[in-house]
């Protein structure tokens, strides 16, 4: 049956099993209220920079990013850590258009340098956004759409995409 439902000790964010449970609850609530909600997948990546003093991925980055996520959020928003560099956000009563604005705030917070123990780490974030019911009406469909959106974001010039975004190539040198 998968991993136990729990919160991460460092970030205090739910794990993948908690996301599945909360996604099912969000679908049921959205069906009753006839409202939409959004699911975002967020993937952090290291930026090569002359200011970056560390070559290792510090275990302190995830808790700091979790704090930054929660500062951008509303009380009804839920966050999850799915892997060391992958997060998810479940945004209650939000449309796809609103989730793009939220994704920009999240990306801006990720772009601010992480200063941990006198080390500076610069990150970027790729964010895939999906909306219920437009991108799917089941947990499985929404998770697939979020995964596709994240793949599209990896190829997007601004790092933010939906499942239906046609990726525009990133700029490569002159």
């Amino acid at each position: 049956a998968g991993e136990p439902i729990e919160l991460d000790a460092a970030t205090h964010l739910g794990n993948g099993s908690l996301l599945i449970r909360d996604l099912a609850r969000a679908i049921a609530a959205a069906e009753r209220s006839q409202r939409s909600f959004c699911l975002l997948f967020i993937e952090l990546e290291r930026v090569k920079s002359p200011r970056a003093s560390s070559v290792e991925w510090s275990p302190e980055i995830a808790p700091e990013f979790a704090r930054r996520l929660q500062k951008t959020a509303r009380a009804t928003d839920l966050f999850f850590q799915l892997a060391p560099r992958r997060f998810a956000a479940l945004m209650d009563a939000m449309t796809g258009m609103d989730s793009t604005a939220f994704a920009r705030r999240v990306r801006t917070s990720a772009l601010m340098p992480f200063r941990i123990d006198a080390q500076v780490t610069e990150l970027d974030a790729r964010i895939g956004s999906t909306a219920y019911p437009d991108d799917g009406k089941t947990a499985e469909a929404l998770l697939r759409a979020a995964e596709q959106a994240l793949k599209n974001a990896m190829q997007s010039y601004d790092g933010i995409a939906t499942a239906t975004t046609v990726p525009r190539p990133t700029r490569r040198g002159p």
Side-chain angles (χ1 to χ4, degrees), residues 10 19 76 118 120 131 144 151 157 171:
L19 170 62
T76 57
V120 175
R144 273 194 309 275
K151 286 179 185 173
Y157 75 101
R171 289 203 179 112

Side-chain angles (χ1 to χ4, degrees), residues 13-14 40-44 57 62 65 69 80-88 126 143 146-147 150-151 154:
L13 301 180
L40 282 68
F41 275 2
I42 305 158
E43 181 95 22
L44 298 178
W57 186 273
F65 183 66
L69 267 179
F80 308 87
Q81 184 175 9
L82 307 178
R85 300 176 192 190
R86 184 173 284 199
F87 298 82
R126 301 291 177 216
L143 291 167
E147 194 65 45
L150 185 59
K151 286 179 185 173
M154 298 286 181

Side-chain angles (χ1 to χ4, degrees), residues 46-56 113-114 118-123:
R46 184 179 207 73
V47 174
K48 304 278 187 271
S49 152
R51 293 190 329 175
S53 49
S54 173
V55 294
E56 306 240 344
F114 287 74
Q119 301 288 324
V120 175
T121 302
E122 293 185 2
L123 301 179

Side-chain angles (χ1 to χ4, degrees), residues 55-95:
V55 294
E56 306 240 344
W57 186 273
S58 168
E60 295 300 313
I61 290 174
E64 174 58 26
F65 183 66
R67 282 188 288 278
R68 292 180 186 188
L69 267 179
Q70 290 166 331
K71 282 184 181 177
T72 65
R74 305 166 301 170
T76 57
D77 300 333
L78 301 173
F79 298 100
F80 308 87
Q81 184 175 9
L82 307 178
R85 300 176 192 190
R86 184 173 284 199
F87 298 82
L90 199 50
M91 317 302 292
D92 184 44
M94 184 177 278
T95 65

Side-chain angles (χ1 to χ4, degrees), residues 101-123:
F102 176 77
R104 284 190 188 103
R105 288 194 310 272
V106 169
R107 187 159 185 258
T108 298
S109 75
L111 290 170
M112 294 186 303
F114 287 74
R115 288 182 175 79
I116 297 163
D117 298 329
Q119 301 288 324
V120 175
T121 302
E122 293 185 2
L123 301 179

Side-chain angles (χ1 to χ4, degrees), residues 133-155:
D134 299 342
D135 296 320
K137 293 185 178 179
T138 66
E140 296 79 16
L142 287 168
L143 291 167
R144 273 194 309 275
E147 194 65 45
Q148 182 59 53
L150 185 59
K151 286 179 185 173
N152 291 347
M154 298 286 181
Q155 300 171 9

